[in-house]
Amino acid sequence: GAGVSQSPSNKVTEKGKDVELRCDPISGHTALYWYRQSLGQGLEFLIYFQGNSAPDKSGLPSDRFSAERTGGSVSTLTIQRTQQEDSAVYLCASSLQVDYGYTFGSGTRLTVV
Amino acid sequence: QQQVKQSPQSLIVQKGGISIINCAYENTAFDYFPWYQQFPGKGPALLIAIRPDVSEKKEGRFTISFNKSAKQFSLHIMDSQPGDSATYFCAARGGGGSNYKLTFGKGTLLTVNP
């Protein structure tokens, strides 16, 4: 596609439920990133995928968070047993190569009630 | 430990004025310094970027000034327009083993009054 596509754009969930957030990167982009943006804060790195290499999961805040990337394209970020502190905008980005600038999607705004 | 400190948190400028946003970093391994512009409901968009071997880069009305010895860099928006009203983030990319990871400042909300 022309840009990075994320779905859903908004998600309201009850505390304790699991959620899945989806990211469709720009076609041909080998690098994919997830960041989290909390109110009044900058962007916090979560996870990085590059081709078939093992992902860098060092930014995932707890073991309730996981992500996968299928076929080197679409990625899903899963949050299990959601907590109120998980409320944030989850942003996905992709780049042609590691050394190129990121293109961000519009994000998924997650609200845990 | 906040590795990239951004100021001010908010800035109000009159149309035609100069907007200046400052960032300071601590990690000397950083090797790439981009600025992102974010409008409400949208993801950040790359505005302009600089590498530490250059002291200044200009693209249209946007200029980055970089001071390697002081570990500081700043964004200058000349002839600011109401359409420039947005949140601006500075960032730095880690060198070495994490050359893909961006560390962001907390953002500056810029309002340009007509």
Side-chain angles (χ1 to χ4, degrees):
Chain A
V4 177
S5 178
Q6 291 189 245
S7 61
S9 55
N10 281 285
K11 176 72 176 179
V12 179
T13 190
E14 292 181 352
K15 177 181 174 182
K17 299 284 190 182
D18 298 352
V19 295
E20 285 189 353
L21 313 180
R22 177 186 168 102
C23 173
D24 269 291
I26 293 173
S27 178
H29 279 196
T30 60
L32 186 146
Y33 317 79
W34 284 96
Y35 281 76
R36 179 168 70 175
Q37 184 174 22
S38 302
L39 188 63
Q41 301 294 314
L43 282 72
E44 172 191 13
F45 169 81
L46 296 178
I47 189 168
Y48 158 74
F49 295 91
Q50 171 61 42
N52 295 319
S53 302
D56 176 358
K57 303 179 181 181
S58 62
L60 295 178
S62 76
D63 58 8
R64 296 185 295 104
F65 288 72
S66 63
E68 63 177 18
R69 188 179 186 189
T70 54
S73 181
V74 172
S75 177
T76 302
L77 177 69
T78 301
I79 309 173
Q80 295 178 311
R81 304 181 303 280
T82 52
Q83 304 295 311
Q84 287 187 330
E85 61 263 29
D86 299 334
S87 296
V89 175
Y90 289 82
L91 290 160
C92 175
S94 68
S95 64
L96 187 59
Q97 297 178 30
V98 165
D99 205 36
Y100 283 59
Y102 295 7
T103 300
F104 280 93
S106 291
T108 294
R109 180 175 297 279
L110 175 66
T111 303
V112 182
V113 297
Chain B
Q1 181 187 16
Q2 184 185 354
Q3 293 198 58
V4 178
K5 294 183 180 180
Q6 183 172 347
S7 62
Q9 283 187 315
S10 62
L11 179 63
I12 299 174
V13 174
Q14 290 300 118
K15 179 182 176 181
I18 302 173
S19 304
I20 302 174
I21 304 170
N22 301 297
C23 283
Y25 64 97
E26 298 166 7
N27 187 347
T28 56
F30 288 147
D31 63 358
Y32 171 74
F33 301 87
W35 284 88
Y36 283 83
Q37 179 188 56
Q38 185 177 30
F39 293 105
K42 301 294 186 182
L46 179 63
L47 191 61
I48 186 172
I50 198 168
R51 296 186 187 273
D53 53 346
V54 176
S55 61
E56 185 175 282
K57 183 173 182 181
K58 183 176 180 180
E59 291 184 0
R61 296 185 294 109
F62 300 91
T63 299
I64 299 179
S65 297
F66 187 85
N67 186 329
K68 188 174 181 178
S69 61
K71 293 188 285 185
Q72 295 176 348
F73 59 111
S74 60
L75 175 69
H76 295 234
I77 306 174
M78 311 299 288
D79 187 27
S80 300
Q81 299 297 312
D84 297 330
S85 297
T87 300
Y88 292 81
F89 293 95
C90 62
R93 188 178 67 191
S98 60
N99 62 338
Y100 46 81
K101 188 184 301 184
L102 287 177
T103 300
F104 286 83
K106 292 191 174 184
T108 297
L109 178 61
L110 172 66
T111 302
V112 181
N113 288 328

